[in-house]
Amino acid sequence: MILITGSNSGLGLHFAKLALQEKKKVILHGRNAQKLEKVVTDFRSQGHEVESVCLDLGVPGSAKILFDHCEKNGWKITELINNAGYGAFGRFDEIELNTQTSMMQLNMISLVELCHLFGKKMLANGGGKILNIASIAAFQPGPKMGVYCASKSFVLSFSEALHFEWKDAGVSVSCLCPGPTDTGFVSAANLQDSQLASGKFMKWVPAAPVALKGYQAMQRGTMTVVDGFMNNFLTLLIRILPKKWVVGISAKMMDRIH
Ligand SMILES: NC(=O)c1ccc[n+]([C@@H]2O[C@H](COP(=O)([O-])OP(=O)(O)OC[C@H]3O[C@@H](n4cnc5c(N)ncnc54)[C@H](OP(=O)(O)O)[C@@H]3O)[C@@H](O)[C@H]2O)c1
């Protein structure tokens, strides 16, 4: 069975569609019960076999609740996609502290806990696959999205280390770094007013092909995949340009339009 966090919308929903195309049994997850219920109903009406869990993973201890729920129901998770995540746009002191710490809990701590809990079971059961969703935001600091970018740097670094630790033990760990992708991300992060969202600096792409790239990377056990030619080019350029320039350019992208 495949567990996909944040699969009631955006990239997560596309990962679910890809898994269902392959006749896998999917465990859908989301925080918003109504959205989740609608997705479950839609999939079941199409004859797909899905289960669901509604849970806020931005709360300490929630990853263990999710794991225990799967155990209690006898769901054997052989594939895990840690997709749920959000960003928050604005000057650090102007964003509620709770928004930032819940984001860190969701984007990093719950992700680590889910890797530990499900990964250990996969190792014991002889194998499995994990896909963690980072971002091209992982490659540089992002003024006005500082915590989000740092959280994605964490996800990328952690995933690549874990890839090496577990690669000969039968559990593959892959990491997808999407660029700007057309999902609910912009409104969740309050990014509407930014230069980034305007598309002036970077092109926004549809979610389906991005999810496919990540899903394929997971099936092949690829360590890291950055979506899109331009994003790959930028992540290489970032590594050779002086850090001050990189942060300066990043700050320009995060300028408010109004
Ligand atoms: N879109 C982009 O441009 C972009 C670029 C790079 C990386 N990413 C990453 O891609 C992943 C998927 O995001 P998306 O673009 O598909 O955005 P999205 O459409 O907003 O989807 C985010 C998903 O995460 C879930 N989620 C948010 N907060 C949660 C919480 N506290 N507990 C549990 N679930 C929660 C949401 O569920 P509810 O709706 O029920 O809250 C939703 O299913 C994220 O990790 C994001 O950081 C996105």
Side-chain angles (χ1 to χ4, degrees), residues 11 18 22 41 51 82 86 104 110 128 130 152 158 169 174 180 182 187 190 195 214 226 243 254 258:
L11 284 167
L18 290 165
E22 293 187 340
T41 308
E51 301 288 352
N82 279 310
Y86 69 86
M104 291 163 74
S110 289
I130 296 175
K152 292 300 182 180
F158 167 67
S174 306
D182 199 5
S187 61
N190 271 322
Q195 294 288 1
V226 175
K243 193 56 143 308
M254 294 300 183
H258 310 293

Side-chain angles (χ1 to χ4, degrees), residues 37-53:
E37 196 44 49
K38 187 179 178 315
V39 172
V40 170
T41 308
D42 285 354
F43 279 145
R44 287 196 178 139
S45 70
Q46 292 162 30
H48 294 303
E49 217 180 319
V50 294
E51 301 288 352
S52 68
V53 189

Side-chain angles (χ1 to χ4, degrees), residues 151-169:
S151 76
K152 292 300 182 180
S153 299
F154 174 91
V155 172
L156 178 60
S157 172
F158 167 67
S159 304
E160 291 183 336
L162 201 55
H163 172 91
F164 267 82
E165 282 188 36
W166 285 354
K167 74 181 167 60
D168 298 324

Side-chain angles (χ1 to χ4, degrees), residues 6-11 29-32 35 55-58 83-86 106 133-135 148 152 178-181 183-185 188 204:
S7 42
N8 59 358
S9 65
L11 284 167
H29 158 269
R31 176 180 48 168
N32 181 310
K35 261 168 71 180
L55 191 68
D56 186 344
L57 284 171
N83 164 76
Y86 69 86
L106 172 68
I133 312 306
S135 168
Y148 176 73
K152 292 300 182 180
T181 307
T183 63
F185 182 81
W204 288 76

Side-chain angles (χ1 to χ4, degrees), residues 53-73:
V53 189
C54 186
L55 191 68
D56 186 344
L57 284 171
V59 174
S62 51
K64 180 73 166 67
I65 292 172
L66 177 54
F67 176 76
D68 289 345
H69 186 77
C70 293
E71 289 287 285
K72 203 178 81 195
N73 284 285

